[in-house]
Amino acid sequence: MVVGVMQFEILIAGAESLKDKRRVVRSVRDRLHREHQVSVAEVAAHESLGRAVMGVSCVCTDGKRAGDVLDAISIKLMKLTDGELGATLREIRKPDFEGREGHEPAPIDEVAIATELLDHFDETADRNGDLA
């Protein structure tokens, strides 16, 4: 089993309301899911009008197939008419279950969790105008 993950940013220049943004996000999400059988979700910048950060994931039998799926999605995103593709980040992982007894939980990355919580706090504070 191989897992392919891609996070990407869509810049939506003409969005005047969250409704405009959601229309673009829904269109991209539904199209990618329908045409590539992947999971898609908006993962950050929920309150930003001109920017959507989305994530895509696929589970495949080999790394080549996962790479091909993510390549096809990247090409499709470069041709968007409702927005412009911004930054992208992709990763292909093969979990290693060999030699493990039972289903041992993965170790907790406390630094990553703390960083994510601080980032979320900063975004919430900026959105609410709590911090200068």
Side-chain angles (χ1 to χ4, degrees), residues 1-8 36-40 55-71 73 89-95:
M1 172 177 82
V2 175
V3 179
V5 178
M6 181 167 65
Q7 183 173 316
F8 58 93
H36 298 283
Q37 297 299 303
V38 294
S39 295
V40 186
V56 172
S57 66
C58 63
V59 177
C60 302
T61 55
D62 60 67
K64 181 180 179 340
R65 175 70 182 140
D68 290 346
V69 169
L70 295 180
D71 287 344
I73 290 171
L89 174 66
R90 66 185 257 172
E91 187 173 339
I92 297 177
R93 288 192 161 201
K94 181 178 181 183

Side-chain angles (χ1 to χ4, degrees), residues 40-106:
V40 186
E42 183 177 9
V43 296
H46 297 284
E47 299 298 321
S48 172
L49 292 181
R51 180 174 166 257
V53 179
M54 300 180 72
V56 172
S57 66
C58 63
V59 177
C60 302
T61 55
D62 60 67
K64 181 180 179 340
R65 175 70 182 140
D68 290 346
V69 169
L70 295 180
D71 287 344
I73 290 171
S74 294
I75 291 168
K76 190 160 288 172
L77 291 171
M78 285 184 226
K79 297 177 182 177
L80 280 177
T81 57
D82 293 342
E84 180 182 340
L85 180 62
T88 62
L89 174 66
R90 66 185 257 172
E91 187 173 339
I92 297 177
R93 288 192 161 201
K94 181 178 181 183
D96 181 19
F97 290 111
E98 294 180 23
R100 290 190 180 192
E101 293 182 25
H103 297 284
E104 296 177 27

Side-chain angles (χ1 to χ4, degrees), residues 24-40:
V24 173
V25 168
R26 188 178 317 112
S27 172
V28 169
R29 183 192 66 216
D30 293 347
R31 188 169 148 203
L32 293 178
H33 174 72
R34 181 180 62 248
E35 295 176 7
H36 298 283
Q37 297 299 303
V38 294
S39 295
V40 186

